[in-house]
Amino acid sequence: EPEVTQTPSHQVTQMGQEVILRCVPISNHLYFYWYRQILGQKVEFLVSFYNNEISEKSEIFDDQFSVERPDGSNFTLKIRSTKLEDSAMYFCASRPSGGPTGELFFGEGSRLTVL
Amino acid sequence: AQSVAQPEDQVNVAEGNPLTVKCTYSVSGNPYLFWYVQYPNRGLQFLLKYITGDNLVKGSYGFEAEFNKSQTSFHLKKPSALVSDSALYFCAVRASGNTPLVFGKGTRLSVIA
């Protein structure tokens, strides 16, 4: 069964460093998302991406964050200068089509620890 | 803006007993409702969804959920709980179009043998 894959599974970084989290969505999917979860708590929306541009972003997704789909398969989340409060589990998700009815398919997550 | 409330942080149930995990929602227009499960150190797995039609929706692993429009609820149920059902359960809602899926804070289900 096709699945969303994420790398790395765990990254430890120093405060102020840049981090790139990578995702390979399911191949025929068109809509892509990043969510984050702090300490096994609420799952928070960060950004959605369609047709090579951001379609929606939350208040969390400030200028320190960026996304891109550089080669038609990878979907990356970059944090330019990490803060302690960026420590979280970051989930990538995708779905094949738009509209309100489709469920998201999630990856296993990338745990980011900022020291 | 849409929102979801899961009033219980933790639900404990004995194996073999029925379980209910509660969810209420707030959305303008028709709600599109989803349940996901998260096992330790894993991603979120889709269980079931309500789009339209029959108020009782059946999903994976024997779970079902009942949509109640008048009470704006979408409670997750299972007739007979298994220890392996122990996990974190998230309710989510989407309004119309391509708005993001908004998740509740999650309910930790513990099934005791």
Side-chain angles (χ1 to χ4, degrees):
Chain A
E1 184 174 332
E3 58 183 22
V4 176
T5 57
Q6 291 186 240
T7 55
S9 57
H10 188 192
Q11 181 156 358
V12 181
T13 190
Q14 295 291 323
M15 191 169 54
Q17 295 297 303
E18 176 182 283
V19 162
I20 297 176
L21 305 178
R22 291 182 169 79
C23 169
V24 179
I26 296 172
S27 62
N28 62 342
H29 286 192
L30 301 176
Y31 292 78
F32 313 112
Y33 306 82
W34 284 100
Y35 284 78
R36 79 173 185 189
Q37 183 183 35
I38 296 176
L39 286 176
Q41 295 178 17
K42 186 174 183 177
V43 177
E44 301 174 297
F45 168 73
L46 293 178
V47 66
S48 57
F49 191 87
Y50 169 70
N51 200 26
N52 282 319
E53 61 182 22
I54 291 173
S55 44
E56 194 157 347
K57 60 183 180 180
S58 70
E59 295 175 348
I60 302 168
F61 195 87
D62 61 20
D63 292 345
Q64 293 299 312
F65 291 88
S66 63
V67 289
E68 65 174 2
R69 190 164 158 79
D71 56 10
S73 64
N74 289 285
F75 178 51
T76 62
L77 175 69
K78 181 191 290 185
I79 309 174
R80 287 190 184 81
S81 178
T82 50
K83 307 182 188 72
L84 294 176
E85 55 265 36
D86 294 328
S87 294
M89 182 73 93
Y90 288 81
F91 290 106
C92 175
S94 67
R95 62 178 178 140
S97 58
T101 62
E103 64 269 27
L104 301 185
F105 294 79
F106 283 84
E108 295 285 288
S110 292
R111 182 175 299 280
L112 176 64
T113 302
V114 182
L115 302 176
Chain B
Q2 63 264 36
S3 65
V4 165
Q6 293 182 244
E8 302 153 318
D9 291 334
Q10 173 97 28
V11 170
N12 298 319
V13 64
E15 188 175 31
N17 282 2
L19 69 87
T20 299
V21 182
K22 295 179 180 177
C23 171
T24 58
Y25 65 89
S26 174
V27 68
S28 299
N30 293 325
Y32 301 91
L33 296 155
F34 303 77
W35 275 101
Y36 281 81
V37 60
Q38 184 182 30
Y39 297 101
N41 301 312
R42 303 295 298 276
L44 281 76
Q45 297 179 32
F46 169 74
L47 278 178
L48 51 79
K49 65 183 176 183
Y50 172 81
I51 304 303
T52 186
D54 194 349
N55 289 343
L56 186 64
V57 178
K58 294 189 184 298
S60 306
Y61 311 122
F63 284 93
E64 57 190 28
E66 186 168 13
F67 172 68
N68 188 316
K69 188 173 183 178
S70 62
Q71 296 184 5
T72 61
S73 67
F74 189 55
H75 300 332
L76 182 71
K77 300 182 180 185
K78 188 173 182 180
S80 179
L82 300 172
V83 172
S84 56
D85 293 330
S86 298
L88 193 54
Y89 289 82
F90 290 95
C91 183
V93 67
R94 182 188 284 127
S96 59
N98 292 315
T99 55
L101 202 54
V102 173
F103 286 85
K105 64 179 174 64
T107 298
R108 190 165 299 281
L109 173 67
S110 180
V111 181
I112 304 156

